[in-house]
Short mmCIF file of all heavy atoms in Angstrom, two decimals:
data_model
loop_
_atom_site.label_atom_id
_atom_site.label_comp_id
_atom_site.label_asym_id
_atom_site.label_seq_id
_atom_site.Cartn_x
_atom_site.Cartn_y
_atom_site.Cartn_z
N ALA A 70 87.17 162.17 221.83
CA ALA A 70 88.25 162.83 222.56
C ALA A 70 87.70 163.78 223.63
O ALA A 70 88.12 163.72 224.79
CB ALA A 70 89.19 163.55 221.59
N PRO A 71 86.78 164.68 223.28
CA PRO A 71 86.18 165.51 224.33
C PRO A 71 85.42 164.71 225.38
O PRO A 71 85.40 165.09 226.55
CB PRO A 71 85.23 166.44 223.55
CG PRO A 71 85.80 166.49 222.18
CD PRO A 71 86.35 165.11 221.94
N ILE A 72 84.79 163.60 224.98
CA ILE A 72 84.08 162.77 225.95
C ILE A 72 85.04 162.23 227.00
O ILE A 72 84.75 162.26 228.22
CB ILE A 72 83.36 161.61 225.23
CG1 ILE A 72 82.15 162.14 224.46
CG2 ILE A 72 82.92 160.53 226.22
CD1 ILE A 72 81.50 161.12 223.56
N LEU A 73 86.19 161.75 226.56
CA LEU A 73 87.19 161.24 227.50
C LEU A 73 87.71 162.36 228.40
O LEU A 73 87.85 162.18 229.62
CB LEU A 73 88.35 160.60 226.73
CG LEU A 73 89.51 160.05 227.56
CD1 LEU A 73 89.01 158.97 228.51
CD2 LEU A 73 90.61 159.52 226.65
N GLY A 74 87.98 163.53 227.80
CA GLY A 74 88.45 164.66 228.60
C GLY A 74 87.42 165.12 229.62
O GLY A 74 87.76 165.40 230.78
N ASN A 75 86.17 165.19 229.20
CA ASN A 75 85.11 165.59 230.14
C ASN A 75 84.96 164.60 231.28
O ASN A 75 84.72 164.99 232.43
CB ASN A 75 83.77 165.71 229.39
CG ASN A 75 83.77 166.84 228.39
OD1 ASN A 75 84.49 167.83 228.53
ND2 ASN A 75 82.97 166.70 227.35
N PHE A 76 85.09 163.32 230.97
CA PHE A 76 84.96 162.29 232.00
C PHE A 76 86.05 162.45 233.06
O PHE A 76 85.78 162.41 234.28
CB PHE A 76 85.04 160.91 231.36
CG PHE A 76 84.96 159.77 232.33
CD1 PHE A 76 83.77 159.44 232.94
CD2 PHE A 76 86.10 159.03 232.64
CE1 PHE A 76 83.69 158.39 233.84
CE2 PHE A 76 86.03 157.98 233.54
CZ PHE A 76 84.83 157.66 234.15
N LEU A 77 87.29 162.63 232.62
CA LEU A 77 88.39 162.84 233.57
C LEU A 77 88.19 164.12 234.37
O LEU A 77 88.46 164.17 235.57
CB LEU A 77 89.72 162.87 232.82
CG LEU A 77 90.15 161.57 232.14
CD1 LEU A 77 91.43 161.79 231.34
CD2 LEU A 77 90.35 160.46 233.16
N HIS A 78 87.72 165.16 233.68
CA HIS A 78 87.50 166.43 234.36
C HIS A 78 86.45 166.31 235.45
O HIS A 78 86.61 166.85 236.55
CB HIS A 78 87.09 167.48 233.33
CG HIS A 78 86.89 168.85 233.90
ND1 HIS A 78 87.90 169.56 234.53
CD2 HIS A 78 85.78 169.65 233.96
CE1 HIS A 78 87.44 170.72 234.93
NE2 HIS A 78 86.15 170.79 234.61
N ILE A 79 85.37 165.61 235.17
CA ILE A 79 84.30 165.43 236.15
C ILE A 79 84.83 164.69 237.38
O ILE A 79 84.53 165.05 238.53
CB ILE A 79 83.12 164.69 235.52
CG1 ILE A 79 82.42 165.59 234.49
CG2 ILE A 79 82.13 164.24 236.59
CD1 ILE A 79 81.37 164.89 233.67
N ILE A 80 85.65 163.66 237.16
CA ILE A 80 86.21 162.91 238.28
C ILE A 80 87.09 163.79 239.16
O ILE A 80 86.98 163.79 240.40
CB ILE A 80 87.00 161.69 237.76
CG1 ILE A 80 86.05 160.67 237.14
CG2 ILE A 80 87.80 161.05 238.89
CD1 ILE A 80 86.76 159.47 236.55
N VAL A 81 87.96 164.57 238.53
CA VAL A 81 88.89 165.41 239.30
C VAL A 81 88.15 166.53 240.02
O VAL A 81 88.48 166.88 241.15
CB VAL A 81 89.99 165.98 238.37
CG1 VAL A 81 90.90 166.92 239.15
CG2 VAL A 81 90.81 164.85 237.76
N VAL A 82 87.12 167.09 239.39
CA VAL A 82 86.35 168.15 240.04
C VAL A 82 85.62 167.58 241.27
O VAL A 82 85.56 168.23 242.32
CB VAL A 82 85.36 168.78 239.06
CG1 VAL A 82 84.38 169.70 239.79
CG2 VAL A 82 86.11 169.57 238.00
N ILE A 83 85.08 166.38 241.15
CA ILE A 83 84.44 165.74 242.31
C ILE A 83 85.48 165.51 243.40
O ILE A 83 85.21 165.71 244.60
CB ILE A 83 83.79 164.41 241.89
CG1 ILE A 83 82.59 164.69 240.97
CG2 ILE A 83 83.33 163.62 243.11
CD1 ILE A 83 81.94 163.43 240.41
N LEU A 84 86.69 165.11 243.02
CA LEU A 84 87.77 164.92 243.99
C LEU A 84 88.11 166.24 244.68
O LEU A 84 88.29 166.29 245.91
CB LEU A 84 89.00 164.35 243.29
CG LEU A 84 90.14 163.87 244.17
CD1 LEU A 84 89.71 162.65 244.99
CD2 LEU A 84 91.37 163.52 243.32
N GLY A 85 88.21 167.32 243.90
CA GLY A 85 88.48 168.62 244.49
C GLY A 85 87.36 169.10 245.39
O GLY A 85 87.60 169.70 246.45
N LEU A 86 86.13 168.83 245.00
CA LEU A 86 84.98 169.20 245.83
C LEU A 86 85.00 168.43 247.14
O LEU A 86 84.76 169.01 248.22
CB LEU A 86 83.70 168.91 245.05
CG LEU A 86 82.38 169.31 245.71
CD1 LEU A 86 82.33 170.81 245.94
CD2 LEU A 86 81.20 168.87 244.85
N PHE A 87 85.31 167.15 247.08
CA PHE A 87 85.41 166.34 248.30
C PHE A 87 86.53 166.85 249.21
O PHE A 87 86.37 166.95 250.43
CB PHE A 87 85.65 164.88 247.93
CG PHE A 87 85.89 163.98 249.11
CD1 PHE A 87 84.83 163.53 249.88
CD2 PHE A 87 87.18 163.59 249.44
CE1 PHE A 87 85.05 162.71 250.98
CE2 PHE A 87 87.40 162.76 250.53
CZ PHE A 87 86.34 162.32 251.30
N GLY A 88 87.68 167.16 248.60
CA GLY A 88 88.80 167.66 249.40
C GLY A 88 88.49 168.99 250.05
O GLY A 88 88.92 169.25 251.19
N THR A 89 87.74 169.84 249.38
CA THR A 89 87.39 171.14 249.96
C THR A 89 86.42 170.97 251.13
O THR A 89 86.56 171.63 252.16
CB THR A 89 86.75 172.04 248.88
OG1 THR A 89 87.63 172.14 247.76
CG2 THR A 89 86.51 173.43 249.44
N ILE A 90 85.46 170.09 250.97
CA ILE A 90 84.48 169.88 252.04
C ILE A 90 85.11 169.20 253.24
O ILE A 90 84.84 169.55 254.39
CB ILE A 90 83.30 169.04 251.50
CG1 ILE A 90 82.55 169.82 250.41
CG2 ILE A 90 82.34 168.66 252.63
CD1 ILE A 90 81.45 169.03 249.73
N GLN A 91 86.02 168.23 252.99
CA GLN A 91 86.62 167.44 254.06
C GLN A 91 87.98 167.98 254.52
O GLN A 91 88.66 167.31 255.29
CB GLN A 91 86.79 165.99 253.59
CG GLN A 91 85.50 165.29 253.27
CD GLN A 91 84.63 165.09 254.51
OE1 GLN A 91 85.15 164.87 255.60
NE2 GLN A 91 83.32 165.18 254.33
N TYR A 92 88.36 169.16 254.07
CA TYR A 92 89.64 169.78 254.46
C TYR A 92 90.82 168.88 254.09
O TYR A 92 91.77 168.73 254.86
CB TYR A 92 89.66 170.09 255.96
CG TYR A 92 88.64 171.11 256.39
CD1 TYR A 92 87.36 170.72 256.78
CD2 TYR A 92 88.95 172.47 256.39
CE1 TYR A 92 86.41 171.66 257.17
CE2 TYR A 92 88.01 173.41 256.78
CZ TYR A 92 86.74 173.00 257.18
OH TYR A 92 85.81 173.94 257.56
N ARG A 93 90.81 168.30 252.90
CA ARG A 93 91.91 167.48 252.41
C ARG A 93 92.69 168.27 251.37
O ARG A 93 92.30 168.35 250.20
CB ARG A 93 91.39 166.17 251.81
CG ARG A 93 90.50 165.36 252.75
CD ARG A 93 91.28 164.77 253.89
NE ARG A 93 90.43 163.97 254.76
CZ ARG A 93 90.17 162.70 254.58
NH1 ARG A 93 90.68 162.08 253.51
NH2 ARG A 93 89.40 162.03 255.41
N SER A 94 93.79 168.87 251.79
CA SER A 94 94.55 169.74 250.89
C SER A 94 95.19 168.97 249.75
O SER A 94 95.37 169.53 248.66
CB SER A 94 95.62 170.50 251.68
OG SER A 94 96.51 169.59 252.33
N LYS A 95 95.52 167.69 249.94
CA LYS A 95 96.16 166.92 248.88
C LYS A 95 95.22 166.75 247.68
O LYS A 95 95.65 166.80 246.53
CB LYS A 95 96.58 165.54 249.41
CG LYS A 95 97.71 165.61 250.43
CD LYS A 95 98.11 164.23 250.90
CE LYS A 95 99.25 164.30 251.92
NZ LYS A 95 99.65 162.95 252.39
N TYR A 96 93.95 166.55 247.95
CA TYR A 96 92.98 166.43 246.86
C TYR A 96 92.84 167.75 246.11
O TYR A 96 92.68 167.75 244.88
CB TYR A 96 91.63 165.99 247.40
CG TYR A 96 91.60 164.60 247.99
CD1 TYR A 96 90.59 164.19 248.85
CD2 TYR A 96 92.61 163.69 247.69
CE1 TYR A 96 90.56 162.92 249.37
CE2 TYR A 96 92.59 162.41 248.22
CZ TYR A 96 91.57 162.03 249.07
OH TYR A 96 91.56 160.76 249.59
N ILE A 97 92.92 168.84 246.83
CA ILE A 97 92.81 170.15 246.18
C ILE A 97 94.05 170.42 245.34
O ILE A 97 93.97 171.08 244.29
CB ILE A 97 92.60 171.25 247.23
CG1 ILE A 97 91.40 170.91 248.11
CG2 ILE A 97 92.37 172.60 246.57
CD1 ILE A 97 91.15 171.92 249.22
N VAL A 98 95.21 169.92 245.77
CA VAL A 98 96.42 170.07 244.96
C VAL A 98 96.26 169.34 243.63
O VAL A 98 96.63 169.86 242.56
CB VAL A 98 97.64 169.53 245.73
CG1 VAL A 98 98.87 169.45 244.83
CG2 VAL A 98 97.95 170.42 246.93
N VAL A 99 95.71 168.12 243.68
CA VAL A 99 95.46 167.37 242.45
C VAL A 99 94.50 168.15 241.55
O VAL A 99 94.70 168.25 240.32
CB VAL A 99 94.88 165.98 242.77
CG1 VAL A 99 94.48 165.26 241.49
CG2 VAL A 99 95.91 165.16 243.54
N TYR A 100 93.48 168.73 242.15
CA TYR A 100 92.51 169.52 241.38
C TYR A 100 93.17 170.73 240.72
O TYR A 100 92.92 171.03 239.55
CB TYR A 100 91.38 169.98 242.30
CG TYR A 100 90.52 171.08 241.74
CD1 TYR A 100 89.52 170.81 240.82
CD2 TYR A 100 90.71 172.41 242.14
CE1 TYR A 100 88.73 171.83 240.30
CE2 TYR A 100 89.93 173.42 241.63
CZ TYR A 100 88.95 173.13 240.71
OH TYR A 100 88.18 174.14 240.19
N SER A 101 94.04 171.43 241.46
CA SER A 101 94.68 172.62 240.91
C SER A 101 95.63 172.26 239.77
O SER A 101 95.71 173.00 238.77
CB SER A 101 95.44 173.36 242.02
OG SER A 101 96.47 172.54 242.56
N ILE A 102 96.34 171.14 239.88
CA ILE A 102 97.22 170.71 238.79
C ILE A 102 96.39 170.36 237.55
O ILE A 102 96.75 170.71 236.42
CB ILE A 102 98.08 169.51 239.24
CG1 ILE A 102 99.04 169.94 240.35
CG2 ILE A 102 98.87 168.94 238.06
CD1 ILE A 102 99.82 168.80 240.95
N TRP A 103 95.27 169.68 237.77
CA TRP A 103 94.43 169.30 236.64
C TRP A 103 93.83 170.52 235.93
O TRP A 103 93.68 170.52 234.72
CB TRP A 103 93.31 168.37 237.11
CG TRP A 103 92.29 168.13 236.04
CD1 TRP A 103 91.04 168.68 235.95
CD2 TRP A 103 92.44 167.29 234.89
NE1 TRP A 103 90.40 168.24 234.83
CE2 TRP A 103 91.24 167.39 234.15
CE3 TRP A 103 93.46 166.47 234.41
CZ2 TRP A 103 91.04 166.69 232.97
CZ3 TRP A 103 93.26 165.78 233.23
CH2 TRP A 103 92.07 165.90 232.53
N THR A 104 93.48 171.55 236.70
CA THR A 104 92.89 172.74 236.06
C THR A 104 93.86 173.36 235.06
O THR A 104 93.42 173.87 234.01
CB THR A 104 92.50 173.79 237.11
OG1 THR A 104 93.63 174.09 237.95
CG2 THR A 104 91.34 173.30 237.97
N ALA A 105 95.16 173.32 235.35
CA ALA A 105 96.14 173.83 234.39
C ALA A 105 96.12 173.00 233.10
O ALA A 105 96.15 173.55 231.99
CB ALA A 105 97.54 173.83 235.01
N LEU A 106 96.05 171.69 233.25
CA LEU A 106 95.96 170.82 232.07
C LEU A 106 94.64 171.03 231.32
O LEU A 106 94.60 171.00 230.08
CB LEU A 106 96.10 169.36 232.48
CG LEU A 106 97.42 168.96 233.16
CD1 LEU A 106 97.37 167.51 233.62
CD2 LEU A 106 98.59 169.18 232.21
N TRP A 107 93.58 171.26 232.08
CA TRP A 107 92.27 171.47 231.47
C TRP A 107 92.23 172.76 230.66
O TRP A 107 91.61 172.82 229.59
CB TRP A 107 91.22 171.49 232.57
CG TRP A 107 89.80 171.54 232.10
CD1 TRP A 107 88.89 172.54 232.33
CD2 TRP A 107 89.11 170.56 231.31
NE1 TRP A 107 87.68 172.23 231.75
CE2 TRP A 107 87.79 171.02 231.12
CE3 TRP A 107 89.49 169.33 230.76
CZ2 TRP A 107 86.85 170.31 230.39
CZ3 TRP A 107 88.54 168.61 230.03
CH2 TRP A 107 87.25 169.10 229.85
N VAL A 108 92.89 173.79 231.16
CA VAL A 108 92.98 175.04 230.40
C VAL A 108 93.72 174.81 229.08
O VAL A 108 93.29 175.28 228.02
CB VAL A 108 93.68 176.13 231.24
CG1 VAL A 108 94.04 177.33 230.37
CG2 VAL A 108 92.78 176.57 232.39
N ALA A 109 94.83 174.07 229.14
CA ALA A 109 95.60 173.78 227.92
C ALA A 109 94.76 173.00 226.92
O ALA A 109 94.81 173.28 225.70
CB ALA A 109 96.87 173.01 228.28
N TRP A 110 93.99 172.03 227.39
CA TRP A 110 93.14 171.23 226.49
C TRP A 110 92.08 172.09 225.81
O TRP A 110 91.83 171.97 224.61
CB TRP A 110 92.49 170.09 227.27
CG TRP A 110 91.38 169.40 226.55
CD1 TRP A 110 90.05 169.42 226.88
CD2 TRP A 110 91.47 168.60 225.36
NE1 TRP A 110 89.31 168.68 225.99
CE2 TRP A 110 90.17 168.16 225.04
CE3 TRP A 110 92.52 168.21 224.55
CZ2 TRP A 110 89.88 167.37 223.94
CZ3 TRP A 110 92.23 167.41 223.44
CH2 TRP A 110 90.95 166.99 223.15
#
Side-chain angles (χ1 to χ4, degrees):
I72 287 171
L73 178 60
N75 293 333
F76 178 73
L77 294 175
H78 182 61
I79 291 172
I80 292 177
V81 176
V82 170
I83 292 175
L84 190 66
L86 184 62
F87 174 79
T89 306
I90 296 174
Q91 297 294 325
Y92 296 90
R93 305 290 181 88
S94 58
K95 293 181 179 179
Y96 294 161
I97 306 177
V98 170
V99 174
Y100 165 80
S101 62
I102 294 173
W103 170 257
T104 54
L106 299 175
W107 187 242
V108 168
W110 167 247

